[in-house]
Amino acid sequence: MPYISLEEHLPGVTGLLEFNRHTAEPLRELTQLLLRGPSSLTEAEREWIATLVSYKNNCVYCATSHTAAADAFLGEHETTQKIKEDYNRAPISDKMKALLTIASQVQESGKSVTAEAVNRAKQLGATDLEIHDTVLIAALFCLYNRYVDGLNTIAPTDPRYYAEMAERLKTKGYYRPAQGYDHLKNK
Amino acid sequence: MPYISLEEHLPGVTGLLEFNRHTAEPLRELTQLLLRGPSSLTEAEREWIATLVSYKNNCVYCATSHTAAADAFLGEHETTQKIKEDYNRAPISDKMKALLTIASQVQESGKSVTAEAVNRAKQLGATDLEIHDTVLIAALFCLYNRYVDGLNTIAPTDPRYYAEMAERLKTKGYYRPAQGYDHLKNK
């Protein structure tokens, strides 16, 4: 049970974002910019960073949601699964592997990010902006994972919840749904 | 030296916020709302949460900046120093000690926050909103500490830098200075 009173029909981060819509607004805006804004990284690549960090933080709600979002962009489930198991053996570019190494280091601590990892990403073609965005996305999910689990929110077990969520994250992004969430009340 | 090209006259988070002013805007907005917006916690109490988390993450730039900000609100240096050394022995309310326990747990991981710590804060009068804000401020500084150190930004050693910064954070808050930062170029 969540540590504070949240609307029961809203699991994970959704109940928190409705609990305080003032702080939710810039959080949603930042997430939208980083994961859906103009970028030389694809939406799936940025969702992988969110997924890997959430997975390493053992945040089931976030890891499952962003796995589903990445898979919705890719149209398959294998690649994201392989990234979680061992991204160095996943069928992704070497540059993306280098960026996921940086993201993994950020998950541990800011101090854990090594010049070696950054230089390797640069040698493989990563730009300053890609490195910046990788660090900031990884840091943002260190925030979200702590927000979601620190307040002990519920992670649904029904895969249909995450499939529906992923479809919304793919087509509408991270803004608050125009109709709110009341339609979920009787589900 | 920072891992990406930042303006040399802008240490710590300031160079990052100027590097990408798009993502900086919602980050500044969220910080302003949490640390300066309407709240039953004082500005100094919220700066203590930022300080303690940054200190535990060994982020010198953030810990020094927010120590200076808290001290600017308090008009003295002793209390914040004692909080960093051992907040349970600092001259602060029992409710604030309980909230700092929650913040310390968030610094470790979302999963580390215990029902016991939350119940103790509630018994001492903490509201759901105060607990929510404590968790979100602590999570936000887990983001900032990773952003600042993950990109290897510079932390000035001159205490005057932090004293000036604290005065600005006290009087103007977390928005971008209207005049930008060009006036610092020849300092």
Side-chain angles (χ1 to χ4, degrees):
Chain A
M1 225 179 79
Y3 290 148
I4 60 175
S5 287
L6 303 174
E7 292 191 60
E8 276 180 32
H9 66 296
L10 296 176
V13 80
T14 61
L16 297 172
L17 295 175
E18 287 295 284
F19 178 82
N20 190 337
R21 284 173 58 185
H22 297 292
T23 46
E25 208 171 301
L27 255 180
R28 288 181 179 280
E29 180 68 29
L30 178 61
T31 313
Q32 179 71 19
L33 278 169
L34 283 168
L35 296 189
R36 296 291 181 276
S39 170
S40 45
L41 300 175
T42 66
E43 285 89 348
E45 286 171 333
R46 290 177 276 167
E47 290 287 350
W48 286 337
I49 298 169
T51 299
L52 185 65
V53 168
S54 301
Y55 182 73
K56 287 169 67 85
N57 277 326
N58 297 311
C59 183
V60 174
Y61 181 86
C62 297
T64 314
S65 297
H66 294 281
T67 296
D71 291 354
F73 279 106
L74 297 167
E76 46 93 353
H77 300 281
E78 289 74 25
T79 311
T80 311
Q81 181 57 35
K82 283 183 179 156
I83 286 171
K84 286 188 283 187
E85 286 164 12
D86 180 358
Y87 62 83
N88 277 313
R89 300 183 64 180
I92 59 176
S93 70
D94 285 341
K95 182 178 92 176
M96 198 60 220
K97 289 178 188 175
L99 292 176
L100 290 174
T101 296
I102 295 171
S104 296
Q105 292 175 339
V106 170
Q107 183 269 331
E108 288 175 21
S109 157
K111 299 266 188 230
S112 299
V113 180
T114 61
E116 192 190 342
V118 173
N119 288 337
R120 176 146 178 84
K122 286 184 182 177
Q123 279 159 12
L124 291 164
T127 63
D128 274 14
L129 186 57
E130 287 171 343
I131 291 167
H132 168 276
D133 288 0
T134 296
V135 170
L136 189 49
I137 293 170
L140 176 62
F141 280 86
C142 287
L143 177 157
Y144 272 128
N145 302 160
R146 283 165 168 78
Y147 193 26
V148 163
D149 283 335
L151 288 163
N152 206 33
T153 65
I154 305 299
T157 52
D158 186 343
R160 285 175 300 183
Y161 173 84
Y162 298 98
E164 274 181 37
M165 154 83 77
E167 197 50 37
R168 183 159 60 74
L169 293 180
K170 182 184 170 189
T171 56
K172 312 269 183 178
Y174 288 92
Y175 294 122
R176 184 169 188 270
Q179 80 281 21
Y181 293 96
D182 283 351
H183 63 292
L184 297 175
K185 271 192 174 149
N186 298 319
K187 275 208 174 172
Chain B
M1 225 180 80
Y3 290 149
I4 60 176
S5 288
L6 303 174
E7 292 190 61
E8 275 178 32
H9 65 296
L10 296 176
V13 80
T14 61
L16 297 172
L17 295 175
E18 288 294 286
F19 178 82
N20 190 337
R21 283 173 58 185
H22 297 292
T23 46
E25 208 170 304
L27 256 180
R28 287 180 180 279
E29 180 68 28
L30 178 60
T31 312
Q32 179 71 19
L33 278 168
L34 283 168
L35 295 189
R36 296 291 182 275
S39 170
S40 45
L41 300 175
T42 66
E43 285 88 348
E45 286 172 332
R46 291 177 273 167
E47 291 287 350
W48 286 338
I49 298 169
T51 299
L52 185 65
V53 168
S54 301
Y55 182 72
K56 287 170 68 86
N57 277 326
N58 298 312
C59 183
V60 174
Y61 181 86
C62 296
T64 314
S65 297
H66 294 281
T67 295
D71 290 353
F73 280 106
L74 297 167
E76 45 94 352
H77 301 280
E78 290 74 24
T79 311
T80 311
Q81 181 58 34
K82 283 182 179 157
I83 286 171
K84 287 188 282 187
E85 286 164 11
D86 180 358
Y87 61 83
N88 276 313
R89 299 183 65 181
I92 59 176
S93 70
D94 286 341
K95 183 179 92 176
M96 198 60 219
K97 290 178 188 175
L99 292 176
L100 290 174
T101 295
I102 295 172
S104 296
Q105 292 175 340
V106 170
Q107 183 269 331
E108 287 176 22
S109 156
K111 299 269 189 227
S112 299
V113 180
T114 62
E116 192 191 344
V118 173
N119 288 337
R120 176 148 177 82
K122 287 184 183 178
Q123 280 159 12
L124 290 165
T127 63
D128 274 14
L129 186 56
E130 287 172 344
I131 291 167
H132 168 276
D133 288 359
T134 296
V135 170
L136 189 49
I137 293 169
L140 176 62
F141 281 85
C142 287
L143 177 157
Y144 272 127
N145 301 160
R146 283 166 168 78
Y147 193 25
V148 163
D149 282 336
L151 288 163
N152 207 34
T153 65
I154 305 300
T157 51
D158 186 343
R160 285 174 300 181
Y161 173 84
Y162 298 99
E164 273 181 39
M165 153 83 78
E167 197 49 38
R168 184 158 60 73
L169 293 180
K170 182 184 170 189
T171 55
K172 313 269 184 179
Y174 288 92
Y175 295 121
R176 184 171 188 271
Q179 80 281 23
Y181 293 95
D182 282 350
H183 63 293
L184 298 175
K185 271 190 175 151
N186 298 319
K187 275 209 174 179

